[in-house]
Structures are given as C-alpha cells and as structure tokens.
Amino acid sequence: MALQIAATPAASEGDGSTYDPDLERIEISLLLEGVYRHYGFDFRSYAFASIRRRLWKRIEAEGLATISELQAHILHDPPMMEKLLLDLSINVTAMFRDPSFYRAFREHVIPLLRTYPFIRLWHAGCATGEEVYSMAILLQEEGLYDRSRIYATDINEVVLRKAKEGIFPLDRMQEYTENYIAAGGKRAFSDYYVARYDGALFSPGLTKNVVFSLHNLVTDRSFAEFNVILCRNVMIYFDKALQGKVHGLFYESLAQFGILVLGSKESLRFSSCEDKYDQINGPEKIFRKAR
Amino acid sequence: MTASASIIVVGASWGGLAALSRLLGSLPDDFGVPVAVVQHRSKNADALLASLLQDVTGLRVVDVEDKEALEPRSVYIAPANYHMLVDWGHLTLTTDPLVRFSRPSIDVTFMSAADTYMTSTIGVVLTGANDDGSRGLRHIVNRGGRAVIQSPESAESRTMPEAARIAVPEADVLPLDEIAAHLTSMVSAAQAKPHVRAV
C-alpha cells in the first residue's frame, strides 16, 4: 500500500505491480497473532479495513516500509507496542457527540430510569471519557445522578487515566457548548468546567459516582447487571463475528427492560440479537431488552 | 479491458447534490456494480441526502450503517461524521480523525476500495471546492483501477476535478452528462465475459 495521507499526488511510484493484497492479509494476521501471543492484546477480530488503515499510519510515522517490518519492531520494542496500542484502541469522540441522541435519551429513557431506586450504567469503551462526562451532566440535570453509578471501562490504561483527570482541550469548548445546547442542556455549559492552563477542568463532582476500570470487551466477561449499557462507535472497529460475541455479552449483562445504546450508524440488523430487543428510538439506536 | 468492475466509488463536494442527482439518475436500474458515494456535508446532517437521491434513481439508495453488505443495483451514501471504508463485500465505518478537514474523506474511501478491489475499482471525482479525492484517485490507478473525472468546465466548482486531473493525468475526463453512459459501458464491457447482461 502506498503512502496514505502524506503522499503527494505526483509522487506515486506505480506500486500496483508490487502490492499483493493477499500477502498483506497474511502479514497483518501474523502481526496481530504475535501481538496477542506476546502482549495479550487481542485485535485479531478487528475490522480488517480499519485496522489496515491504522497500521499503515503507524508504519508511515515510523518511516518503515512493510507490515512485517513493523511486526519486528513491535515484538522487540515494547514502547512501539504502546504506540500501537494507542493507535488501535483510541476511538475519537466528543462531548455530546450526536446531540440528537442526548435529546432522545432525555425524552425516552430518563422517564423509565426515574422509576428505579438505583441506576447502574455501563459505558463500554469510554476512551478519554467525553461521553461519560456528557452522560453525568445529563443525569445531574435530570436529578438522577445521586442514585446512579456509571461504570466506565476501556482496554487502554492511558486513556482511562485521561478520562479520570477530566481535562479536555479548551479549543474544543465552543464545539462542545454548541453540542450541549443542541442536546437540550439546561444550564450554561461553562458552569461545568474551569479553564486551567490550556485545558478545561471538569467539575470533580461529575465523577463522584463514576467507576473507571479496565475491561476488555474481547476477552473479559460480564461483571454486573446494568439498567443501561452505552457502547457507541466502539464496535464499528470489530468484525461481524466479534460484534456478535459482544452483543451476547451485553445481552447477558442487561437487566430485564435494560436499555442498550449503540452509535447512530450501528445496527442490530447484522447480529443475532435483533429479536431480543424492542426499538425505543430507531435513528438514535436506543433499544430495550424485551425477552 | 481490465478485470471486471467490482465497485465504483464516487466523491463529490460543493455542488455535489445536483451532480450526483444527474449521474445516478442516468444509470440504468439494473446497474450491476455497487456504487459507494462520499459527499462532504455537515457533521450533523441526517439521511436527507439519501432520500433526495432515492427520488431520482431506480437503484436502491442506502444510508450506510456499519458492516453494510455491498450488493448490485445499490448506491451507498457515506454517513455524515464517519469515514467509510470499503472491505470485501461490505462497508465499515470509523470515527478516526478528520483527514484534510473532512469526515467522511473521499481519499479514505477511495484508498480502501483500491486496496481491497485493486484492478476492479473505478473511482469518479465530481465537482468540489477542495482537493479531496485526488490522492485516492491516484491510489486507485496505482492499484490498476480506473479513474473518471468530471470535466472542470461542466462542474459547479472546478477545484476538485482540476486537482484530480493534475494528480491523475491518465484519467478519463468527461462532461457530467456523459459519465453515466461511460460507467455503464465500462461495466457492461467487463461483465460481458462471465454472462451476457440482460437488455
């Protein structure tokens, strides 16, 4: 594969003659097998096209030429594995991403949650925590935060540490403020953070009922029974077989009438769980465990 | 003629809705190759684009969800605020960072198509006011696929086709109204080998 992003159009080397997609598939599967057996991280069932793209971005950043070359570095140089772990496991997100989802959640899910004495939410694949803080803000504004506990999990320690800190880039606050307003926010967004150096430090009160914890959706099991599971734009990085397996895990982990939330372009259509849920809001991908 | 076409990827930006309507509206209803479309739009745009395009074509227009299967007689619209990657027989979405200010990025979709379907990829760059698509189109040709560019004179915004033409001098450059017929002939010529297409 040629230079992905950095390539200047004129600098094409006519590499069609040397590129062999079948060989590349073998190289990628060997690399992922090596990573799994040596470091224990299992990316073997990740979506091929997106993992290929991320691997090539790392190869270019390191000035390497092939996946096999990257494999040698990763297996012999643990800091390179740390870089790759970030490459492969960080899912980019934003506070109140898809504002219409938060509106729908307020409208359709909050009334159900009001009927519970205690609410357990699982934010699976929380990355750097933007959506966890968003949900904490929403629950606080709806008067439900004090009887809620949010379990925010990720496979990556580095991003969990960031999530715990609650410091987000100041230059994104304008975008997040717009999202917050569009999401039906009830206060001034700036009430929730103080500007500090070049970061916005979010109120520690927002995480007093949040438990940040390592959890691997690929290899770990269920750890509690939840009223709400949020997993938005995490499983898009998995292949269909792994998606099916994780759907099984979520189904097992949901209480009766528990709520499952997926990303706005994710679907139960391709899983075997579709008939086990009722649709609460189609476009916003909010489902309720029905049977 | 190269190997049979397996996918057509189309990129459009400024002026794209009108151009896509003309292009898709002129493809035959039995068009046998899936068409994946990347149109730049605002990050909170909804499925309106797909429904507008559905009004002009007999092909099935799909607002793509993750792992959507690729089928003939279908047009796949990249959703707002996601990159859309082509994989064997399906599409996969990512929320990876913007590429040159865009998500969806035309380059990202084109490159993934070329790396998957190699010589049976056709890339089409339409109107637009930036240079997204030119790297991806170059990559398609490097992989042995074929390139089509809307002639800048027939484009509402000529920047994107011009950038693509510089990057891919060997591309077929055609007025908008001739692109559908050109794609149809490329596809039917290639598909005539395995079986004769119904008229």
Side-chain angles (χ1 to χ4, degrees):
Chain A
M1 174 144 135
L3 299 178
Q4 282 260 20
I5 309 307
T8 52
S12 56
E13 54 288 285
D15 52 357
S17 54
T18 55
Y19 174 79
D20 179 344
D22 297 331
L23 179 60
E24 186 185 66
R25 219 162 253 270
I26 292 169
E27 288 181 286
I28 289 176
S29 98
L30 289 173
L31 182 150
L32 299 179
E33 185 66 27
V35 165
Y36 174 62
R37 288 170 62 176
H38 189 56
Y39 293 102
F41 296 107
D42 192 352
F43 295 107
R44 294 173 301 172
S45 300
Y46 274 47
F48 182 77
S50 51
I51 209 159
R52 173 174 60 193
R53 177 163 186 271
R54 286 175 163 194
L55 287 175
W56 275 101
K57 285 179 75 114
R58 176 50 52 199
I59 288 168
E60 283 153 23
E62 302 298 333
L64 305 174
T66 64
I67 291 181
S68 300
E69 228 180 297
L70 179 66
Q71 177 184 312
H73 282 79
I74 284 168
L75 294 181
H76 294 289
D77 179 18
M80 184 68 93
M81 180 61 220
E82 280 175 39
K83 286 191 205 173
L84 188 76
L85 183 60
L86 290 172
D87 292 339
L88 298 187
S89 64
I90 291 195
N91 299 328
V92 182
T93 183
M95 294 187 92
F96 294 98
R97 188 187 205 272
D98 304 322
S100 54
F101 156 70
Y102 289 91
R103 271 187 185 279
F105 193 88
R106 276 184 207 269
E107 192 181 325
H108 301 295
V109 180
I110 290 294
L112 299 171
L113 299 184
R114 282 195 204 290
T115 66
Y116 298 151
F118 190 76
I119 306 157
R120 263 201 216 94
L121 303 93
W122 178 13
H123 218 124
C126 68
T128 39
E130 285 83 347
E131 298 185 42
V132 177
Y133 285 80
S134 307
M135 185 53 67
I137 288 170
L138 189 156
L139 291 169
Q140 208 172 63
E141 293 183 356
E142 298 296 337
L144 293 177
Y145 187 67
D146 286 337
R147 51 178 153 128
S148 301
R149 178 149 297 156
I150 302 177
Y151 295 83
T153 66
D154 202 275
I155 57 168
N156 187 321
E157 239 168 312
V158 178
V159 297
L160 274 178
R161 223 177 299 135
K162 279 197 164 177
K164 265 184 228 179
E165 282 175 3
I167 300 171
F168 299 104
L170 259 187
D171 59 12
R172 302 205 60 182
M173 288 307 125
Q174 190 184 340
E175 174 198 346
Y176 292 176
T177 303
E178 287 163 14
N179 284 355
Y180 170 77
I181 293 166
K186 294 181 172 173
R187 295 169 58 179
F189 188 59
S190 55
D191 290 353
Y192 292 105
Y193 66 86
V194 288
R196 209 189 66 164
Y197 310 111
D198 59 346
L201 173 66
F202 276 72
S203 160
L206 290 173
T207 49
K208 74 176 185 339
N209 293 343
V210 180
V211 180
F212 290 100
S213 166
L214 277 175
H215 182 274
N216 187 333
L217 287 170
V218 184
T219 50
D220 292 343
R221 312 213 24 134
S222 173
F223 56 99
E225 193 177 72
F226 297 96
N227 308 108
V228 179
I229 296 178
L230 301 124
C231 189
R232 301 174 69 222
N233 301 320
V234 174
M235 282 193 280
I236 55 177
Y237 291 97
F238 299 169
D239 72 14
K240 268 189 271 188
L242 180 55
Q243 288 181 350
K245 193 178 147 199
V246 176
H247 272 301
L249 173 68
F250 288 163
Y251 179 76
E252 277 173 38
S253 306
L254 274 175
Q256 203 187 1
F257 305 125
I259 299 292
L260 175 67
V261 178
L262 303 176
S264 60
K265 296 300 169 191
E266 293 177 277
S267 176
L268 283 174
R269 275 189 294 155
F270 313 122
S271 83
S272 60
C273 287
E274 189 172 16
D275 56 350
K276 295 174 180 165
Y277 291 92
D278 290 335
Q279 192 173 284
I280 301 282
N281 183 306
E284 303 302 341
K285 300 297 150 64
I286 303 173
F287 304 92
R288 183 171 59 186
K289 180 171 172 176
R291 49 195 73 85
Chain B
M1 177 55 63
T2 51
S4 69
S6 298
I7 188 151
I8 296 175
V9 284
V10 180
S13 189
W14 184 262
L17 174 60
L20 285 167
S21 301
R22 293 272 282 284
L23 169 59
L24 298 176
S26 309
L27 289 175
D29 291 352
D30 63 348
F31 194 73
V33 176
V35 179
V37 173
V38 180
Q39 160 73 55
H40 290 159
R41 52 204 174 125
S42 108
K43 67 177 181 181
N44 291 323
D46 56 14
L48 180 65
L49 178 63
S51 68
L52 288 172
L53 293 174
Q54 186 64 82
D55 288 344
V56 301
T57 174
L59 299 166
R60 182 177 68 115
V61 180
V62 181
D63 193 43
V64 170
E65 293 188 328
D66 182 52
K67 306 296 181 290
E68 195 82 55
L70 288 167
E71 285 166 20
R73 295 178 296 281
S74 303
V75 177
Y76 298 89
I77 310 296
N81 213 12
Y82 290 83
H83 293 302
M84 180 171 80
L85 302 178
V86 176
D87 204 336
W88 275 113
H90 67 270
L91 299 164
T92 194
L93 302 176
T94 90
T95 57
D96 284 359
L98 310 191
V99 173
R100 303 173 68 81
F101 315 107
S102 295
R103 187 173 58 206
S105 151
I106 300 168
D107 285 336
V108 167
T109 299
F110 279 22
M111 286 179 177
S112 65
D115 288 340
T116 302
Y117 285 107
M118 303 285 289
T119 57
S120 29
T121 308
I122 299 172
V124 183
V125 170
L126 301 177
T127 171
N130 54 68
D131 69 351
D132 195 10
S134 56
R135 287 159 194 77
L137 199 64
R138 181 69 256 161
H139 196 72
I140 287 172
V141 172
N142 288 350
R143 291 279 182 262
R146 302 186 57 186
V148 178
I149 301 170
Q150 178 180 5
S151 64
E153 303 72 41
S154 70
E156 193 167 330
S157 177
R158 52 191 301 148
T159 314
M160 206 160 90
E162 270 171 354
R165 199 160 59 169
I166 291 165
V168 191
E170 58 270 61
D172 301 332
V173 180
L174 295 166
L176 179 60
D177 286 337
E178 292 173 25
I179 293 177
H182 186 60
L183 292 175
T184 307
S185 73
M186 284 166 102
V187 166
S188 52
Q191 313 256 300
K193 274 172 243 164
H195 57 89
V196 179
R197 207 167 64 91
V199 183

